[in-house]
Amino acid sequence: MKELGLLMDLDGNVYYFGEWKENCKDKGHTISFESDVVNLDEFKKLNLNYDKSKEIVVQSQEEYIKKGILMIFNITKNIESGLSFLMTVPSKLSCMQKERLTELYPVLSNFSDQYIYDLDDDCDKYSSLDDYFEKNDVKRAKVKLI
């Protein structure tokens, strides 16, 4: 994933933000989200509150998952240390979100460190995309081997 992150709404629409670069600053996700997503008409139609005083990662965990929004943050520091992502997910995925995650599987499965949090109700934590997909009945797209 060459972006810093993505937001996925209940209809499976994906809004990418930022461009991953080695040693990205901590506020890079928030700055990119503000410049690439916040002013989009599609984002405004989601009726999500955006608080400039909070990091986007915090807002995804505190508010957005409660409204069914899934977010993925590329938290890779550098290639040598391995690819890493943080995914915050609602407790129930829509059918369209499941379909889109299936499409994203070949890219996401390349990440060696996977942190997936469902902070609704039970606060489930997954360290494997495969475990999360299995528990939540998400199909895996086949990964093409070169």
Side-chain angles (χ1 to χ4, degrees):
M1 190 165 105
K2 63 183 182 194
E3 296 84 11
L4 274 177
L6 66 83
L7 176 147
M8 184 187 304
D9 67 21
L10 285 165
D11 294 326
N13 298 313
V14 174
Y15 307 96
Y16 291 97
F17 55 92
E19 180 182 347
W20 180 84
K21 294 177 183 159
E22 286 204 37
N23 302 311
C24 178
K25 302 290 183 207
D26 289 338
K27 293 190 183 274
H29 293 93
T30 299
I31 292 167
S32 295
F33 188 79
E34 286 176 5
S35 65
D36 296 348
V37 178
V38 170
N39 292 318
L40 293 174
D41 289 338
E42 296 89 342
F43 178 76
K44 291 176 184 176
K45 288 177 187 174
L46 296 174
N47 292 318
L48 298 172
N49 293 326
Y50 180 73
D51 183 348
K52 286 187 174 205
S53 69
K54 291 183 182 179
E55 296 291 323
I56 187 57
V57 174
V58 172
Q59 290 183 71
S60 75
Q61 296 168 359
E62 290 179 350
E63 179 185 348
Y64 292 4
I65 61 170
K66 293 175 185 171
K67 295 190 176 186
I69 301 297
L70 179 149
M71 293 195 75
I72 300 175
F73 302 93
N74 185 343
I75 57 172
T76 304
K77 291 293 181 194
N78 58 57
I79 298 297
E80 293 78 31
S81 64
L83 302 176
S84 304
F85 75 73
L86 166 67
M87 184 163 78
T88 57
V89 295
S91 59
K92 292 187 181 181
L93 296 172
S94 71
C95 291
M96 295 307 294
Q97 286 174 318
K98 287 181 181 185
E99 284 183 29
R100 187 53 58 105
L101 278 175
T102 296
E103 294 169 9
L104 291 170
Y105 181 81
V107 172
L108 296 176
S109 64
N110 287 318
F111 284 75
S112 54
D113 295 317
Q114 305 167 354
Y115 307 98
I116 303 163
Y117 296 95
D118 169 359
L119 299 175
D120 283 352
D121 306 327
D122 298 335
C123 294
D124 294 326
K125 176 183 173 186
Y126 304 86
S127 57
S128 159
L129 190 62
D130 290 328
D131 288 346
Y132 176 77
F133 274 39
E134 185 175 324
K135 181 165 189 231
N136 291 279
D137 196 32
V138 179
K139 293 181 173 87
R140 294 168 191 81
K142 292 185 180 178
V143 179
K144 294 180 183 176
L145 300 175
I146 299 173

